[in-house]
């Protein structure tokens, strides 16, 4: 029986009209169980963002930062564990620098995204999270897409 890759439980993406694909909400897996994604472990929250669960409203006295980007933001690679992507590292550094404040850095990165998809994700989910700062990091995928025709 043929199972389309997007329907496969071990595949971390699901189709999306605006973003073309998004990470599946509440997805948990280890490398050996993943299809087409080479990371040691992967957890998404109920919003389908890589990282811990977050409240839609920022907690009182918190400083929320949203990182939108491609696989570099997501944290793609054989050795990039769940707490290793730069948004998690930034949250850790900010907490060390100013532990009196509740820092919350949200990983809005997704493998293969371009700025087009980042804007769609901002409109779909990011704006509602009410971040004080948005860090944007796209580039490689847009560059690669320039070399393909629309037909391809």
């Amino acid at each position: 029986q043929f199972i389309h890759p997007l329907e496969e439980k071990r595949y971390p993406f699901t189709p999306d009209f605006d973003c073309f694909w998004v990470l599946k909400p509440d997805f948990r897996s280890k490398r050996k169980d993943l299809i087409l994604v080479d990371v040691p472990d992967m957890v998404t929250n109920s919003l389908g963002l890589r990282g811990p669960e977050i409240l839609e409203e920022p907690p009182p006295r918190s400083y929320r930062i949203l990182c939108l980007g491609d696989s570099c933001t997501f944290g793609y690679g054989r050795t990039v564990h769940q707490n290793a992507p730069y948004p998690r590292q930034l949250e850790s550094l900010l907490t060390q620098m100013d532990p009196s404040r509740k820092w919350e850095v949200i990983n809005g990165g997704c493998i293969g995204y371009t700025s087009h998809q980042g804007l769609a994700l901002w409109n779909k989910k990011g704006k509602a999270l009410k971040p004080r700062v948005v860090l944007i990091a796209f580039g490689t995928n847009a560059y690669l897409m320039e070399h393909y025709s629309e037909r391809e």
Side-chain angles (χ1 to χ4, degrees), residues 13-33:
F13 306 105
T14 189
D16 182 82
F17 182 79
D18 301 309
C19 298
F20 309 131
W21 65 88
V22 292
L23 294 169
K24 288 179 181 173
D26 300 314
F27 184 84
R28 283 158 178 59
S29 193
K30 298 284 185 194
R31 176 185 289 131
K32 66 180 178 57
D33 300 322

Side-chain angles (χ1 to χ4, degrees), residues 37-74:
V37 177
D38 195 12
V39 294
D41 52 3
M42 185 174 153
V43 176
T44 64
N45 56 37
S46 62
L47 295 174
L49 301 174
R50 188 175 189 190
E53 197 60 47
I54 53 175
L55 302 171
E56 193 165 324
E57 284 291 322
R61 297 187 33 81
S62 68
Y63 198 94
R64 181 175 277 181
I65 299 169
L66 173 62
C67 301
L68 294 174
D70 52 24
S71 54
C72 295
T73 300
F74 169 84

Side-chain angles (χ1 to χ4, degrees), residues 5 27 31 46 53 56 63 80 87 92 104-105 111 123-124 126-127 130 133 135 147:
F27 184 84
R31 176 185 289 131
S46 62
E53 197 60 47
E56 193 165 324
Y63 198 94
V80 184
S92 179
E104 189 176 33
V105 182
I111 298 166
N123 288 323
K124 189 177 202 88
K127 209 181 302 185
K130 300 177 183 149
V133 173
L135 300 178
H147 300 1

